[in-house]
Amino acid sequence: MSESIREILARPSAGGGVTIRGWLRTARHSKEVSFLEVSDGSCFSGIQVVAGPECHGFEETVRALGTGCAVEASGELVESPGSGQSFEIRASSVALVGGVGEDYPLQKKRHSLEFLRTVAHLRPRTNTLGAVLRVRNATARAIHDFFQQRGFIQIHSPIITLSDSEGAGDLFRVSTLDVENPPRDEEGRVDFRQDFFAAPAFLTVSGQLEAEIAALALSKVYTFGPTFRAEDSNTSRHLAEFWMVEPELAFCDLDGLGELAEAFLKQVFQRVREACPDDLEFFNKRIDDTVLATIAHVIEQPFERLRYSEAIEILEKCDRQFEFPVRWGLDLQSEHERFLSEEYFRRPVVVTHYPKAIKAFYMYLNDDEETVGALDVLVPKVGEIIGGSQREHRLEVLRRRIAELGLEEDRYWWYLDLRRHGSVPHAGFGLGFERLVQFMTGMANIRDVIPFPRVPGNAEF
Ligand code: ATP
Ligand code: MN
């Protein structure tokens, strides 16, 4: 394998032969010389290849090269006289590996992100998407590193499931029944007993319940996998398919979980900043000029901690007109979450003790019997980035909550069984991976931080 441009640019000094392979960002041809800007995606910048008449293939190949062509170039690594870059390549040979059609859509001019979504097969070659994909990669790695260093064990939770994780989102059905002509039961309803899994099955909306099972054996675990929600909401923060990170810890309460969430975000931001300085610089310059300051802020500032009741009080007292009502008992909307973290506290905010009525049945019931051990982390721009809770580990309380909410106990038999055998206080959270990447890059639309977004009406590519 040849050296990547990233490796070449990291060399301590010029000199010596190099060979690169990549795609032309630009080509400038003057009479005697051609300047080719070649990128291989290994880092933000490309490298300049300078080819003159002495270069093999100059007349036949180099003169005809344009944006998008795939090339292989060899030559000597020399100091770059121009500003901006340390090295360039004085080419001894340039070969065309793959040409481009006249209709190659990515020309030098800047394209809108909306347009780029229509060419998702080519957009990784743009500065923006290339940077997104590298940051995404660095973020995933930082997440694994964080948990692995602390002895968490990664669990692969199933993608197909019979459980609906208690309405965390709308479900996609998984079925092999003939949709035109499904089997029917005595009452004329579709008979899922004849379906592949002999029951209604869905794509998972969360790996939490399985992570709980694992945590009650392995103590500290996490999942990092795709989750699916058939939310028909065309927002800049929702995808139908997104990746979720879900740590779950046994012998852990809400305070412990808040500490974990803060340490987690801080370390991940730190690592990504170290791994992708040029990419983040680009986002700061071209996408959102608060990106670097926000990252520094998350790393350096202690997170604010407050209870839901206090958050409501702040929102009621502030002189802001919100679109959605603010009242104890109502859920916080994105505008409220953003106000708290972006304007009021100006830092990430950990909100806990939500009313039980707006949270899931499995959350730990506090002594006041009104609030539960829920925890959301709110960040500027994005709003909620982490949602979690201490889980209800007391069998009788859990059964009572299930009954109160009119859920069928049978469906949760194994979840309840875990509370009968060696149950311990435990807690966990879910982090939307794409929301994290959005936050890190300042990208306004979640469709631009995943290579192939799945949203209502579109799953092309
Ligand atoms: P929201 O209110 O924003 O829809 P949620 O309350 O449905 O979020 P949870 O069920 O708590 O979210 O999921 C955990 C995390 O997954 C959220 O904090 C968020 O970061 C992320 N998330 C949830 N839904 C989506 C989605 N449709 N697309 C991308 N990320 C999502
Ligand atoms: Mn949702």
Side-chain angles (χ1 to χ4, degrees):
M1 240 166 50
S2 65
E3 231 175 335
S4 69
I5 292 174
R6 180 192 179 93
E7 290 163 323
I8 290 169
L9 292 174
R11 283 196 193 180
S13 58
V18 285
T19 296
I20 56 156
R21 302 187 181 99
W23 295 265
L24 288 196
R25 284 217 178 125
T26 57
R28 278 188 296 125
H29 304 289
S30 67
K31 215 152 143 243
E32 288 293 302
V33 63
S34 290
F35 297 97
L36 312 174
E37 177 75 14
V38 183
S39 161
D40 66 2
S42 59
C43 57
F44 183 78
S45 66
I47 193 165
Q48 174 155 278
V49 175
V50 184
E54 72 290 347
C55 170
H56 193 79
F58 184 66
E59 285 304 333
E60 326 83 83
T61 308
V62 176
R63 308 300 282 170
L65 292 175
T67 299
C69 289
V71 297
E72 175 172 324
S74 299
E76 197 192 345
L77 191 68
V78 298
E79 301 276 349
S80 179
S83 60
Q85 195 132 82
S86 44
F87 305 133
E88 61 185 35
I89 295 171
R90 192 175 298 143
S92 53
S93 77
V94 174
L96 177 66
V97 181
V100 293
E102 270 166 28
D103 55 346
Y104 184 62
L106 304 179
Q107 292 309 323
K108 206 186 158 197
K109 74 177 176 93
R110 275 174 84 181
H111 299 284
S112 73
L113 292 166
E114 291 75 20
F115 168 74
L116 291 178
R117 279 175 224 143
T118 68
V119 287
H121 59 308
L122 297 171
R123 71 175 184 164
R125 298 186 196 175
T126 62
N127 276 335
T128 308
L129 260 291
V132 162
L133 296 180
R134 281 184 299 274
V135 167
R136 214 182 136 94
N137 170 65
T139 307
R141 179 175 177 178
I143 288 169
H144 283 296
D145 283 350
F146 176 87
F147 289 124
Q148 295 293 333
Q149 282 163 3
R150 282 166 178 73
F152 283 67
I153 292 172
Q154 186 187 3
I155 300 301
H156 298 95
S157 52
I159 287 170
I160 298 173
T161 166
L162 305 188
S163 113
D164 69 354
S165 280
E166 189 277 321
D170 295 316
L171 300 160
F172 285 104
R173 188 182 291 287
V174 176
S175 173
T176 52
L177 294 180
D178 178 359
V179 284
E180 307 278 345
N181 187 22
R184 306 262 171 197
D185 63 15
E186 306 74 39
E187 274 118 58
R189 289 177 310 214
V190 176
D191 186 3
F192 288 102
R193 287 168 305 184
Q194 295 184 50
D195 203 349
F196 192 92
F197 297 107
F202 308 94
L203 294 180
T204 186
V205 294
S206 157
Q208 180 199 319
L209 303 187
E210 290 86 0
E212 282 188 55
I213 295 178
L216 292 175
L218 303 168
S219 301
K220 290 192 283 187
V221 303
Y222 71 107
T223 69
F224 190 165
T227 48
F228 307 85
R229 296 189 185 180
E231 1 211 25
D232 199 9
S233 53
N234 260 302
T235 80
S236 58
R237 309 181 312 128
H238 289 92
L239 292 163
E241 174 180 303
F242 65 99
W243 289 68
M244 187 125 83
V245 178
E246 296 179 277
E248 189 75 33
L249 295 89
F251 307 102
C252 181
D253 62 12
L254 201 61
D255 288 340
L257 189 68
E259 279 161 32
L260 180 80
E262 178 166 357
F264 168 81
L265 287 175
K266 284 191 150 77
Q267 181 170 323
V268 168
F269 275 67
Q270 177 101 41
R271 287 298 160 83
V272 174
R273 188 167 69 170
E274 283 160 16
C276 303
D278 297 348
D279 294 312
L280 295 177
E281 194 81 50
F282 166 81
F283 289 117
N284 200 67
K285 207 162 120 198
R286 290 293 180 81
I287 302 292
D288 174 349
D289 64 7
T290 64
V291 160
L292 290 178
T294 307
I295 291 176
H297 215 70
V298 172
I299 295 171
E300 288 150 20
Q301 300 294 317
F303 290 12
E304 189 69 35
R305 283 185 172 65
L306 74 162
R307 294 187 174 204
Y308 166 89
S309 304
E310 299 169 271
I312 292 295
E313 231 169 272
I314 291 169
L315 293 167
E316 277 174 341
K317 284 195 184 134
C318 75
D319 52 9
R320 174 65 58 94
Q321 279 305 114
F322 293 112
E323 185 186 338
F324 293 93
V326 174
R327 189 163 7 101
W328 201 97
L330 297 180
D331 206 358
L332 298 181
Q333 299 296 324
S334 165
E335 57 172 348
H336 309 136
E337 299 174 338
R338 288 183 57 169
F339 173 80
L340 289 170
S341 61
E342 215 166 300
E343 298 180 45
Y344 192 84
F345 291 111
R346 296 176 175 270
R347 61 178 69 184
V349 180
V350 184
V351 184
T352 58
H353 297 75
Y354 284 76
K356 65 177 178 186
I358 56 173
K359 291 290 182 184
F361 76 94
Y362 52 71
M363 296 190 181
Y364 183 85
L365 187 64
N366 291 321
D367 290 344
D368 60 17
E369 297 260 329
E370 283 303 322
T371 63
V372 289
L375 170 155
D376 281 4
V377 180
L378 317 178
V379 295
K381 304 270 155 128
V382 177
E384 179 193 328
I385 196 166
I386 282 179
S389 64
Q390 180 175 339
R391 320 304 189 189
E392 185 55 74
H393 69 284
R394 299 163 296 184
L395 179 65
E396 283 321 311
V397 184
L398 189 60
R399 292 187 60 192
R400 182 148 63 82
R401 292 287 290 138
I402 287 177
E404 269 170 27
L405 293 167
L407 303 170
E408 290 165 52
E409 208 173 276
D410 294 356
R411 291 186 36 224
Y412 302 96
W413 71 268
W414 53 262
Y415 197 68
L416 288 163
D417 216 35
L418 283 174
R419 273 74 184 165
R420 296 178 51 233
H421 308 297
S423 186
V424 304
H426 60 289
F429 66 70
L431 161 99
F433 182 60
E434 283 74 20
R435 297 247 181 114
L436 181 63
V437 177
Q438 259 193 296
F439 185 37
M440 205 104 67
T441 57
M443 295 296 287
N445 196 313
I446 199 167
R447 296 164 200 215
D448 299 323
V449 297
I450 188 165
F452 308 107
R454 270 78 182 98
V455 294
N458 198 350
E460 208 184 357
F461 303 103

